[in-house]
Amino acid sequence: MTERNDERTPTAAADAVPDQELAQDEGAGTDRLPADDEKGPLRRCIASGTVGPKESMIRFVIGPDGEVVPDLEERLPGRGLWVTADRDALAKAMGKSVFAKAARRAVKVPPDLAERLERLLERRCLHALGLARRAGHVLAGYEKVREALKANQVGRAGPPPALLVEAADGSLDQRGKVTALAPSLPVIDLFQSSALAAALGRDHAVHAVVARGRLAAGLARDAARLRGLKGPFGDLDAHRESDKGWGVGDTAGRPAM
C-alpha cells in the first residue's frame, strides 16, 4: 500500500548524508548503528537511542521541501530516520529538534505528524483487513468466529487463526465469550464497529478472526505500531469500560496489539 497523500519522494538532498552514520541525541550513547542498513533487523531510535527490531519502529525520511515524511512502506529513497512506535518517543522526536540533529540539516516537522501517522496506520490496518477478507482469510460474525476458534481453523480446512479483531465499542460480554475461546490469541480492538463493517463489506461487524499468513502478519505489525502511538488504552471513549478487563494486553496477559 502507498500513502499517496502523506508521503512525498525525497530529493537527492536527502541522499547526501551517508547511510553509515547516525546523529546521536543527548544520552543516546556513543556506539553507532547504521542509520538505514536494510540488510539488518535492528535500528536505533533517534529519540531514545535504544536499539531494537525495525518491526517495532517507524521509518521517516526528509521530503523535497525539507519536511519529515513517514515511510510506512520503508521504500522511499533517502536516509532513514527511525523512531520507536511509541507516543512518548514520537513526542520527543518532534519536540526537541531530534529529527534535525539526526538528519544533520534543517527540517520541518508538521505539528500534526502524530495524528497524520495514526491516520495512515489506521488506513493500512483496515485496508489489510479488507484484503484478507477478499482473499478468504477472514471470518466475521459472533457464531462464525466462535466456530473457527473452537475448530482452530478459518474456513473449511483453512489455516489456523492468527488474530482476533474486536470492535472497541462492542459488547464486553460477547467479546469476553469470544476471547475466552483463544486466550493466547492476539486481539486488535482499535476500531469502531462501523469502521470494521466498512472494511469487511458488512452492515455490521464486531467480531472477526484472521487466518495465519502474510496478510495477518502485516496487519499484526501495523496494529502493534498503531497501539504504541495511541497508548495503552487507545481511544478512551471507545474503551470507556475497559476497566472491566477486556481489551488488548488485558489482565489475562493477552499479547498487546
Side-chain angles (χ1 to χ4, degrees):
M1 284 167 279
T2 302
E3 289 74 26
R4 298 181 182 275
N5 294 331
D6 296 273
E7 296 186 6
R8 289 173 286 279
T9 302
T11 62
D15 296 324
V17 182
D19 278 357
Q20 299 303 311
E21 296 182 5
L22 178 66
Q24 301 289 317
D25 187 27
E26 292 86 356
T30 57
D31 57 323
R32 293 181 179 273
L33 188 77
D36 199 16
D37 180 3
E38 301 298 343
K39 296 181 180 180
L42 301 179
R43 301 291 184 272
R44 183 185 298 283
C45 173
I46 64 172
S48 66
T50 58
V51 175
K54 71 174 186 176
E55 286 75 19
S56 64
M57 297 189 181
I58 296 170
R59 185 179 190 259
F60 296 86
V61 294
I62 308 303
D65 56 357
E67 187 170 279
V68 174
V69 178
D71 178 23
L72 298 178
E73 293 278 354
E74 298 170 8
R75 295 178 180 175
L76 291 178
R79 179 167 180 251
L81 309 174
W82 296 80
V83 178
T84 302
D86 173 84
R87 60 179 177 178
D88 292 335
L90 183 59
K92 180 177 180 181
M94 293 176 61
K96 289 191 174 183
S97 302
V98 176
F99 279 115
K101 292 176 183 178
R104 297 183 179 178
R105 56 172 291 190
V107 303
K108 293 184 289 186
V109 180
D112 65 340
L113 182 61
E115 292 78 9
R116 184 186 303 182
L117 191 53
E118 284 191 22
R119 290 195 300 269
L120 287 171
L121 283 167
E122 287 170 358
R123 288 207 300 267
R124 283 173 63 90
C125 288
L126 294 171
H127 183 62
L129 191 59
L131 288 177
R133 189 264 302 178
R134 291 191 287 276
H137 292 174
V138 173
L139 288 177
Y142 180 69
E143 292 299 337
K144 288 184 178 180
V145 170
R146 283 173 56 86
E147 291 173 5
L149 295 178
K150 290 177 181 179
N152 196 36
Q153 63 183 41
V154 179
R156 293 184 179 179
L163 302 168
L164 275 172
V165 181
E166 297 287 317
D169 55 342
S171 162
L172 294 178
D173 179 61
Q174 283 199 350
R175 288 175 59 185
K177 291 177 180 178
V178 170
T179 56
L181 294 174
S184 63
L185 205 63
V187 175
I188 298 172
D189 65 347
L190 297 167
F191 306 106
Q192 300 284 316
S193 57
S194 57
L196 293 182
L200 295 172
R202 297 168 60 93
D203 293 331
H204 181 69
V206 174
H207 315 281
V209 60
V210 186
R212 186 180 300 170
R214 179 180 57 83
L215 291 171
L219 173 58
R221 181 191 178 188
D222 283 335
R225 293 193 292 180
L226 179 58
R227 166 63 66 191
L229 293 175
K230 283 180 174 291
F233 298 107
D235 185 339
L236 291 179
D237 291 332
H239 290 272
R240 56 190 177 277
E241 295 183 275
S242 62
D243 59 332
K244 294 184 179 180
W246 297 109
V248 173
D250 60 21
T251 55
R254 186 178 300 276
M257 186 168 299

